[in-house]
Amino acid sequence: MSQFLNKIKELAKENKKTIVLPEATDIRTLQATEEIIRDDLANVILVGNKEEIIKLAKGLEISGATILDPSSYEKLDEMVEVLVEVRKSKGLTKEEAYELLKNPLYFGVTLVKMELADGMVAGAVNTTADVLRPSLQIIKTAPGTKVVSSFFLMIVPNCEYGNDGVFAFSDCALNQSPNAEQLASIAVDTAKSYKALTKDEPVVAMLSHSTMGSAAHPDVDKVVEATEIAKEMGKEFKIDGELQLDAAIVPTVGKLKAPKSDVAGNANVLIFPDIDAANIGYKLVQRFAKAEAIGPITQGIAKPVNDLSRGCSASDIVSVTALTALQAQ
């Protein structure tokens, strides 16, 4: 385990939060639950039939987890009232609310909405759309949020670049082709998240196939515009672009290609122009450099809900749970 991940876990322990893991019929979730409880990272709520979960968890020590069954939960009527109130503009009926709460994702999100839990982690079984839909419907976006986005914390071993190899890559999972204003919001939100989670200063590079006008194309124009908007929105942060990847992180290349930039050669927050570049980029680094890729971490929802990759391991769930607990602090 990396030193950085140890730091995250220690910070999570300092102010322990309650995290819902609604995919309790998946063995990886149960394995993660054992580790989270053993390491005292968070209080865990599992959602589902208690007998079925205990049977599936045979050989695992999960007795410290709270197991809530949507069909018999004592506060189910209160949850229904909350759902009906939140979705009244859509005409949600009590009967429909009871039906929705049979879904562990809606049940988990409603627990977070009611402050019976501090955050939720799911996606080992469910798609990103399925995880985020109830979150956006019930918890809704944080004040001032222009676009809900995501990022990966990339921890690259033996890396001389960034913050000792710790980077944020965004947006790798949610926004297919953000426009300039959306890209600017993603940049500023990721800078805030990076600072909150790492306690280090973000240095934000708006990535492109061009550096400071070396190529002409509408895609470059979008990044140039996004950079100007982001600098205005996030005046407290170092933000610059457009920058090629090498100019963003390699000091000698940054000095050569963008000598007037205080970001070039020093970036630790990398904002990709679209989801294709970002998703391919993080997976290349993860596989070729054997980097830890923690995420995707969601930003812009009023309370922390994070989506996992369906190819995740139990240790990935533990890491994202620790980060979710830290976000909740």
Side-chain angles (χ1 to χ4, degrees):
M1 187 191 303
S2 70
Q3 187 177 349
F4 174 77
L5 201 47
N6 276 328
K7 176 182 169 183
I8 292 292
K9 290 183 175 182
E10 288 305 315
L11 288 168
K13 288 180 190 181
E14 287 177 9
N15 182 6
K16 201 161 71 163
K17 297 298 180 182
T18 299
I19 307 300
V20 184
L21 302 179
E23 297 168 322
T25 56
D26 184 89
I27 189 62
R28 294 167 295 173
T29 299
L30 298 175
Q31 291 166 340
T33 298
E34 179 181 52
E35 187 174 337
I36 292 161
I37 292 168
R38 184 189 68 220
D39 293 349
D40 204 31
L41 301 177
N43 301 310
V44 176
I45 296 177
L46 298 171
V47 180
N49 178 275
K50 189 169 185 175
E51 288 182 8
E52 182 184 0
I53 291 169
I54 289 171
K55 186 177 178 181
L56 283 168
K58 188 175 180 182
L60 297 171
E61 179 48 68
I62 64 162
S63 60
T66 299
I67 301 175
L68 300 182
D69 187 339
S71 66
S72 58
Y73 183 45
E74 61 185 16
K75 294 186 178 179
L76 188 62
D77 290 343
E78 290 176 48
M79 296 178 82
V80 166
E81 295 294 339
V82 168
L83 269 192
V84 169
E85 176 60 27
V86 168
R87 301 290 289 163
K88 64 183 177 184
S89 65
K90 301 296 180 183
L92 187 75
T93 65
K94 283 189 176 184
E95 291 73 19
E96 289 168 337
Y98 277 112
E99 199 61 33
L100 275 180
L101 287 168
K102 291 178 183 177
N103 180 325
L105 296 175
Y106 275 89
F107 186 86
V109 161
T110 307
L111 289 174
V112 176
K113 175 69 175 178
M114 295 173 66
E115 299 186 348
L116 298 168
D118 300 299
M120 185 176 90
V121 174
V125 176
N126 292 278
T127 65
T128 296
D130 287 340
V131 173
L132 293 185
R133 190 180 301 111
S135 308
L136 294 172
Q137 288 177 353
I138 297 163
I139 299 175
K140 304 188 184 296
T141 57
T145 296
K146 289 184 169 63
V147 59
V148 173
S149 61
S150 72
F151 65 95
F152 273 85
L153 277 176
M154 303 298 296
I155 305 165
V156 187
N158 307 313
C159 180
E160 63 196 277
Y161 306 123
N163 181 24
D164 293 326
V166 178
F167 292 89
F169 284 22
S170 188
D171 179 354
C172 307
L174 292 183
N175 293 281
Q176 187 72 42
S177 185
N179 61 32
E181 188 171 8
Q182 291 169 331
L183 198 60
S185 293
I186 289 166
V188 174
D189 287 348
T190 307
K192 290 175 182 175
S193 294
Y194 188 87
K195 185 170 185 177
L197 293 175
T198 69
K199 312 305 179 190
D200 292 310
E201 286 302 316
V203 182
V204 184
M206 309 295 285
L207 297 182
S208 172
H209 69 276
S210 168
T211 295
M212 301 303 180
S214 65
H217 190 275
D219 288 349
V220 177
D221 296 340
K222 179 182 82 168
V223 177
V224 171
E225 184 184 352
T227 302
E228 293 309 310
I229 298 169
K231 284 180 174 180
E232 190 62 32
M233 288 173 61
K235 290 180 178 177
E236 68 271 36
F237 300 122
K238 289 182 180 178
I239 301 172
D240 210 356
E242 86 283 13
L243 292 166
Q244 292 163 294
L245 188 278
D246 56 353
I249 67 169
V250 182
T252 53
V253 178
K255 188 174 287 188
L256 177 69
K257 291 187 174 183
K260 295 179 182 178
S261 173
D262 60 354
V263 168
N266 301 300
N268 51 33
V269 174
L270 304 180
I271 306 301
F272 292 79
D274 59 40
I275 201 172
D276 290 323
N279 194 275
I280 292 165
Y282 102 76
K283 287 181 177 175
L284 280 171
V285 174
Q286 182 185 29
R287 300 302 176 183
F288 287 0
K290 295 181 170 55
E292 289 183 68
I294 305 173
I297 306 298
T298 308
Q299 52 192 5
I301 299 174
K303 292 179 183 291
V305 174
N306 284 313
D307 175 45
L308 299 158
S309 163
R310 278 175 286 169
C312 70
S313 64
S315 62
D316 292 332
I317 300 173
V318 174
S319 299
V320 174
T321 298
L323 276 167
T324 306
L326 197 54
Q327 283 181 303
Q329 292 178 9

PDB file of all heavy atoms in Angstrom, residues 209-224:
ATOM      1  N   HIS A 209      -3.637  18.592 -27.388  1.00  0.00           N
ATOM      2  CA  HIS A 209      -2.545  18.121 -28.252  1.00  0.00           C
ATOM      3  C   HIS A 209      -1.678  19.299 -28.693  1.00  0.00           C
ATOM      4  O   HIS A 209      -0.741  19.136 -29.476  1.00  0.00           O
ATOM      5  CB  HIS A 209      -3.092  17.380 -29.483  1.00  0.00           C
ATOM      6  CG  HIS A 209      -3.812  18.251 -30.470  1.00  0.00           C
ATOM      7  ND1 HIS A 209      -5.145  18.595 -30.333  1.00  0.00           N
ATOM      8  CD2 HIS A 209      -3.382  18.860 -31.609  1.00  0.00           C
ATOM      9  CE1 HIS A 209      -5.505  19.364 -31.346  1.00  0.00           C
ATOM     10  NE2 HIS A 209      -4.446  19.545 -32.135  1.00  0.00           N
ATOM     11  N   SER A 210      -1.984  20.483 -28.147  1.00  0.00           N
ATOM     12  CA  SER A 210      -1.277  21.710 -28.486  1.00  0.00           C
ATOM     13  C   SER A 210      -0.757  22.373 -27.214  1.00  0.00           C
ATOM     14  O   SER A 210      -1.361  22.239 -26.146  1.00  0.00           O
ATOM     15  CB  SER A 210      -2.248  22.664 -29.201  1.00  0.00           C
ATOM     16  OG  SER A 210      -1.713  23.966 -29.319  1.00  0.00           O
ATOM     17  N   THR A 211       0.370  23.055 -27.331  1.00  0.00           N
ATOM     18  CA  THR A 211       0.896  23.863 -26.220  1.00  0.00           C
ATOM     19  C   THR A 211       0.991  25.318 -26.649  1.00  0.00           C
ATOM     20  O   THR A 211       1.743  25.647 -27.576  1.00  0.00           O
ATOM     21  CB  THR A 211       2.274  23.367 -25.763  1.00  0.00           C
ATOM     22  OG1 THR A 211       2.145  22.053 -25.217  1.00  0.00           O
ATOM     23  CG2 THR A 211       2.859  24.284 -24.696  1.00  0.00           C
ATOM     24  N   MET A 212       0.212  26.154 -25.989  1.00  0.00           N
ATOM     25  CA  MET A 212       0.281  27.609 -26.176  1.00  0.00           C
ATOM     26  C   MET A 212       0.267  28.017 -27.655  1.00  0.00           C
ATOM     27  O   MET A 212       1.125  28.766 -28.115  1.00  0.00           O
ATOM     28  CB  MET A 212       1.521  28.173 -25.476  1.00  0.00           C
ATOM     29  CG  MET A 212       1.573  27.894 -23.983  1.00  0.00           C
ATOM     30  SD  MET A 212       0.125  28.535 -23.108  1.00  0.00           S
ATOM     31  CE  MET A 212       0.475  28.075 -21.420  1.00  0.00           C
ATOM     32  N   GLY A 213      -0.722  27.446 -28.377  1.00  0.00           N
ATOM     33  CA  GLY A 213      -0.907  27.870 -29.763  1.00  0.00           C
ATOM     34  C   GLY A 213      -0.083  27.124 -30.788  1.00  0.00           C
ATOM     35  O   GLY A 213      -0.023  27.554 -31.947  1.00  0.00           O
ATOM     36  N   SER A 214       0.530  25.994 -30.408  1.00  0.00           N
ATOM     37  CA  SER A 214       1.367  25.260 -31.372  1.00  0.00           C
ATOM     38  C   SER A 214       0.541  24.569 -32.452  1.00  0.00           C
ATOM     39  O   SER A 214       1.073  24.191 -33.498  1.00  0.00           O
ATOM     40  CB  SER A 214       2.243  24.232 -30.647  1.00  0.00           C
ATOM     41  OG  SER A 214       1.453  23.217 -30.044  1.00  0.00           O
ATOM     42  N   ALA A 215      -0.758  24.387 -32.203  1.00  0.00           N
ATOM     43  CA  ALA A 215      -1.654  23.804 -33.210  1.00  0.00           C
ATOM     44  C   ALA A 215      -2.945  24.608 -33.241  1.00  0.00           C
ATOM     45  O   ALA A 215      -3.341  25.207 -32.239  1.00  0.00           O
ATOM     46  CB  ALA A 215      -1.945  22.342 -32.891  1.00  0.00           C
ATOM     47  N   ALA A 216      -3.598  24.591 -34.398  1.00  0.00           N
ATOM     48  CA  ALA A 216      -4.870  25.308 -34.556  1.00  0.00           C
ATOM     49  C   ALA A 216      -5.980  24.316 -34.868  1.00  0.00           C
ATOM     50  O   ALA A 216      -5.873  23.535 -35.826  1.00  0.00           O
ATOM     51  CB  ALA A 216      -4.756  26.330 -35.684  1.00  0.00           C
ATOM     52  N   HIS A 217      -7.007  24.321 -34.036  1.00  0.00           N
ATOM     53  CA  HIS A 217      -8.135  23.404 -34.239  1.00  0.00           C
ATOM     54  C   HIS A 217      -9.233  23.819 -33.271  1.00  0.00           C
ATOM     55  O   HIS A 217      -8.944  24.331 -32.176  1.00  0.00           O
ATOM     56  CB  HIS A 217      -7.713  21.955 -33.960  1.00  0.00           C
ATOM     57  CG  HIS A 217      -8.735  20.945 -34.383  1.00  0.00           C
ATOM     58  ND1 HIS A 217      -9.797  20.582 -33.571  1.00  0.00           N
ATOM     59  CD2 HIS A 217      -8.868  20.237 -35.530  1.00  0.00           C
ATOM     60  CE1 HIS A 217     -10.527  19.679 -34.207  1.00  0.00           C
ATOM     61  NE2 HIS A 217      -9.991  19.455 -35.395  1.00  0.00           N
ATOM     62  N   PRO A 218     -10.513  23.603 -33.629  1.00  0.00           N
ATOM     63  CA  PRO A 218     -11.601  23.920 -32.688  1.00  0.00           C
ATOM     64  C   PRO A 218     -11.446  23.232 -31.325  1.00  0.00           C
ATOM     65  O   PRO A 218     -11.849  23.797 -30.302  1.00  0.00           O
ATOM     66  CB  PRO A 218     -12.845  23.433 -33.429  1.00  0.00           C
ATOM     67  CG  PRO A 218     -12.497  23.556 -34.873  1.00  0.00           C
ATOM     68  CD  PRO A 218     -11.039  23.231 -34.966  1.00  0.00           C
ATOM     69  N   ASP A 219     -10.868  22.022 -31.306  1.00  0.00           N
ATOM     70  CA  ASP A 219     -10.656  21.338 -30.022  1.00  0.00           C
ATOM     71  C   ASP A 219      -9.676  22.117 -29.141  1.00  0.00           C
ATOM     72  O   ASP A 219      -9.819  22.157 -27.912  1.00  0.00           O
ATOM     73  CB  ASP A 219     -10.119  19.921 -30.248  1.00  0.00           C
ATOM     74  CG  ASP A 219     -11.167  18.973 -30.814  1.00  0.00           C
ATOM     75  OD1 ASP A 219     -12.360  19.354 -30.839  1.00  0.00           O
ATOM     76  OD2 ASP A 219     -10.794  17.863 -31.246  1.00  0.00           O
ATOM     77  N   VAL A 220      -8.674  22.710 -29.779  1.00  0.00           N
ATOM     78  CA  VAL A 220      -7.717  23.536 -29.038  1.00  0.00           C
ATOM     79  C   VAL A 220      -8.398  24.807 -28.537  1.00  0.00           C
ATOM     80  O   VAL A 220      -8.216  25.222 -27.385  1.00  0.00           O
ATOM     81  CB  VAL A 220      -6.497  23.892 -29.920  1.00  0.00           C
ATOM     82  CG1 VAL A 220      -5.538  24.809 -29.155  1.00  0.00           C
ATOM     83  CG2 VAL A 220      -5.775  22.634 -30.385  1.00  0.00           C
ATOM     84  N   ASP A 221      -9.218  25.396 -29.399  1.00  0.00           N
ATOM     85  CA  ASP A 221      -9.936  26.624 -29.020  1.00  0.00           C
ATOM     86  C   ASP A 221     -10.783  26.400 -27.772  1.00  0.00           C
ATOM     87  O   ASP A 221     -10.862  27.275 -26.896  1.00  0.00           O
ATOM     88  CB  ASP A 221     -10.838  27.096 -30.171  1.00  0.00           C
ATOM     89  CG  ASP A 221     -10.050  27.501 -31.411  1.00  0.00           C
ATOM     90  OD1 ASP A 221      -8.848  27.782 -31.265  1.00  0.00           O
ATOM     91  OD2 ASP A 221     -10.641  27.523 -32.507  1.00  0.00           O
ATOM     92  N   LYS A 222     -11.400  25.224 -27.688  1.00  0.00           N
ATOM     93  CA  LYS A 222     -12.232  24.903 -26.517  1.00  0.00           C
ATOM     94  C   LYS A 222     -11.394  24.919 -25.235  1.00  0.00           C
ATOM     95  O   LYS A 222     -11.812  25.486 -24.215  1.00  0.00           O
ATOM     96  CB  LYS A 222     -12.897  23.533 -26.688  1.00  0.00           C
ATOM     97  CG  LYS A 222     -13.762  23.130 -25.501  1.00  0.00           C
ATOM     98  CD  LYS A 222     -14.371  21.749 -25.650  1.00  0.00           C
ATOM     99  CE  LYS A 222     -13.426  20.640 -25.260  1.00  0.00           C
ATOM    100  NZ  LYS A 222     -14.106  19.324 -25.139  1.00  0.00           N
ATOM    101  N   VAL A 223     -10.220  24.327 -25.286  1.00  0.00           N
ATOM    102  CA  VAL A 223      -9.355  24.268 -24.099  1.00  0.00           C
ATOM    103  C   VAL A 223      -8.833  25.654 -23.737  1.00  0.00           C
ATOM    104  O   VAL A 223      -8.757  26.006 -22.551  1.00  0.00           O
ATOM    105  CB  VAL A 223      -8.205  23.258 -24.308  1.00  0.00           C
ATOM    106  CG1 VAL A 223      -7.267  23.250 -23.102  1.00  0.00           C
ATOM    107  CG2 VAL A 223      -8.749  21.861 -24.556  1.00  0.00           C
ATOM    108  N   VAL A 224      -8.505  26.441 -24.742  1.00  0.00           N
ATOM    109  CA  VAL A 224      -8.048  27.818 -24.487  1.00  0.00           C
ATOM    110  C   VAL A 224      -9.144  28.616 -23.783  1.00  0.00           C
ATOM    111  O   VAL A 224      -8.896  29.308 -22.777  1.00  0.00           O
ATOM    112  CB  VAL A 224      -7.648  28.510 -25.813  1.00  0.00           C
ATOM    113  CG1 VAL A 224      -7.385  30.002 -25.582  1.00  0.00           C
ATOM    114  CG2 VAL A 224      -6.422  27.840 -26.419  1.00  0.00           C
TER     115      VAL A 224
END
